[in-house]
């Protein structure tokens, strides 16, 4: 048989089969729409069948196209898996992985992992979709991200939640603050200072409100922000103190910020990797996913929750 199409044509077809849009598929593989259309026309001509029905409004797979799309994706995944395991070839592999992640885990935690991943697979592009917990969950559920790093999702029937680590909430303050030398501080004590928190639409805020519902003299907010990273900027500017997840804090050598464990009560959250249940990750995404599973030793143990304490969800 004289094969008159190539791997790039199959990749183009797989993209349009998944995205159901010529424009979106062309953008995904970095081709102009005319060049993309030529690839699809070439593939259909080589096979002698119509794979797609196209109108000005939509693109749908024909019956033959649906079967061919399933087999094509399997072929591409098998090829990726083979190449990812070939040492030097893996280092030159091209591709893209999208991970959705809550901002509080992005700034000081995720870059360490992405750096290690890039050292191993420099040709693979990593896209980080930093968003609220609910938006991260939605991005994974809708397929906009390969997988996510989140503290919600374990109760969703269509989501697989793999616990990675439990982390406690800590008080964030400047090194010159009166609390900076304390080994621990209660929530009530924290409320005696200018206190800042994320807003009520935040998953972290909901978690804290539930945990502190029966705590007398709980802190009252003077300032609110949408993201934890914004709170840390306000703390660094000297506007007050904040309660944040420990993963959001810089290391002990930070020149300005310090963290103090919060007690009475200890509030924790369970961080986990989420992906669509029953859907396999691409080999490139699986490599990053597996690397994140092994990262629980990247942070000092003091940043993590005591092993006997359950997640405050």
């Amino acid at each position: 048989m004289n094969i008159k199409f190539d791997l790039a044509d199959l990749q183009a077809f797989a993209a349009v089969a998944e995205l159901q849009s010529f424009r979106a598929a062309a953008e995904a593989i970095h081709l102009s729409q005319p060049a993309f259309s030529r690839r699809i026309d070439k593939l259909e001509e080589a096979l002698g069948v119509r794979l797609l029905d196209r109108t000005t409004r939509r693109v749908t797979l024909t019956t033959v196209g649906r079967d061919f799309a399933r087999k094509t994706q399997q072929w591409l995944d098998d090829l990726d898996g083979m190449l990812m395991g070939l040492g030097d070839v893996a280092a030159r592999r091209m591709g893209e992985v999208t991970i959705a992640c809550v901002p509080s885990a992005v700034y000081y935690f995720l870059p360490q992992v992405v750096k290690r991943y890039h050292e191993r697979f420099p040709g693979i592009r990593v896209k980080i979709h930093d968003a609220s917990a609910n938006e991260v969950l939605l991005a994974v559920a809708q397929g906009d991200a390969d997988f996510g790093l989140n503290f919600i999702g374990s109760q969703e029937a269509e989501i697989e939640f793999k616990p990675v680590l439990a982390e406690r909430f800590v008080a964030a303050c400047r090194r010159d603050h009166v609390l900076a030398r304390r080994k621990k501080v209660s929530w009530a004590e924290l409320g005696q200072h200018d206190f800042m928190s994320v807003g009520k639409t935040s998953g972290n805020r909901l978690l804290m409100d539930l945990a502190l519902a029966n705590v007398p003299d709980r802190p009252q907010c003077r300032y609110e922000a949408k993201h934890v990273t914004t709170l840390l900027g306000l703390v660094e500017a000297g506007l007050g103190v904040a309660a944040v997840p420990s993963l959001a804090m810089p290391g002990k050598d930070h020149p300005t910020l310090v963290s103090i464990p919060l007690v009475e009560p200890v509030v924790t959250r369970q961080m986990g990797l989420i992906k669509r249940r029953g859907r396999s990750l691409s080999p490139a995404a699986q490599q990053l996913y597996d690397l994140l599973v092994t990262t629980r030793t990247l942070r000092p143990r003091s940043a993590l929750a005591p092993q006997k304490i359950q997640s405050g969800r």
Side-chain angles (χ1 to χ4, degrees):
M1 179 180 179
N2 185 17
I3 302 298
K4 296 181 180 180
F5 61 87
D6 55 30
L7 178 60
D9 300 329
L10 291 177
Q11 291 172 325
F13 173 67
V16 75
E18 179 181 356
L19 298 174
Q20 303 284 293
S21 165
F22 264 57
R23 184 179 68 178
E27 291 176 352
I29 65 173
H30 309 290
L31 282 177
S32 67
Q33 283 190 248
F36 185 88
S37 295
R38 286 195 294 272
R39 287 197 183 279
I40 300 301
D41 291 341
K42 174 186 171 186
L43 181 61
E44 289 182 327
E45 182 178 347
L47 295 173
V49 295
R50 179 172 289 279
L51 300 173
L52 300 165
D53 287 326
R54 285 158 275 184
T55 68
T56 56
R57 291 180 176 271
R58 58 183 303 185
V59 177
T60 57
L61 292 165
T62 64
T63 301
V64 174
R66 284 194 295 272
D67 182 61
F68 190 68
R70 183 175 64 254
K71 292 176 180 177
T72 297
Q73 192 58 59
Q74 183 178 344
W75 293 335
L76 292 175
D77 287 345
D78 288 346
L79 179 61
D80 268 353
M82 180 181 70
L83 293 177
M84 290 293 285
L86 290 181
D88 291 341
V89 175
R92 296 192 298 270
R93 186 73 181 121
M94 304 299 290
E96 181 176 285
V97 178
T98 300
I99 175 174
C101 183
V102 288
S104 53
V106 169
Y107 198 56
Y108 291 107
F109 173 69
L110 191 60
Q112 301 175 67
V113 186
V114 174
K115 181 180 179 181
R116 291 172 61 194
Y117 183 79
H118 177 69
E119 289 170 351
R120 186 174 178 186
F121 306 112
I124 297 177
R125 181 170 56 255
V126 178
K127 295 175 65 176
I128 300 173
H129 177 63
D130 52 325
S132 69
N134 287 325
E135 291 170 332
V136 167
L137 185 62
L138 185 62
V140 173
Q142 293 183 338
D144 295 329
D146 293 293
F147 63 92
L149 183 61
N150 207 350
F151 56 91
I152 65 172
S154 61
Q155 305 301 318
E156 302 293 327
E158 298 181 356
I159 294 294
E160 179 183 321
F161 184 95
K162 183 178 183 62
V164 175
L165 55 86
E167 57 168 336
R168 70 189 302 166
F169 278 74
V170 297
C173 67
R174 285 176 55 93
R175 289 189 177 277
D176 56 4
H177 194 275
V178 65
L179 296 177
R181 296 185 179 276
R182 297 280 296 274
K183 292 186 177 181
K184 60 183 179 180
V185 62
S186 70
W187 288 86
E189 290 175 312
L190 198 63
Q192 297 172 14
H193 304 271
D194 289 338
F195 179 70
M196 298 178 282
S197 176
V198 286
K200 292 184 178 180
T201 59
S202 166
N204 284 313
R205 176 63 176 271
L206 176 61
L207 190 154
M208 288 189 292
D209 286 347
L210 290 174
L212 302 176
N214 297 317
V215 174
D217 301 323
R218 56 183 295 182
Q220 301 300 312
C221 293
R222 182 175 294 273
Y223 304 105
E224 284 189 358
K226 184 176 182 180
H227 297 301
V228 168
T229 47
T230 304
L231 286 182
L232 293 180
L234 298 177
V235 171
E236 195 166 3
L239 293 179
V241 297
V244 302
S246 58
L247 281 183
M249 290 297 294
K252 293 182 179 180
D253 58 347
H254 193 275
T256 307
L257 296 175
V258 295
S259 62
I260 308 105
L262 278 165
V263 297
E264 301 177 15
V266 172
V267 181
T268 70
R269 68 177 189 177
Q270 179 73 62
M271 292 295 298
L273 291 167
I274 61 172
K275 62 180 182 178
R276 287 175 289 175
R277 191 177 299 278
R279 296 289 297 272
S280 298
L281 296 174
S282 69
Q286 187 67 54
Q287 290 284 348
L288 181 56
Y289 182 96
D290 292 341
L291 192 57
L292 278 159
V293 171
T294 65
T295 58
R296 60 190 72 196
T297 59
L298 285 180
R299 296 285 291 183
R301 188 168 181 82
S302 60
L304 306 182
Q307 294 300 303
K308 294 183 179 180
I309 295 177
Q310 301 298 316
S311 173
R313 291 209 262 138

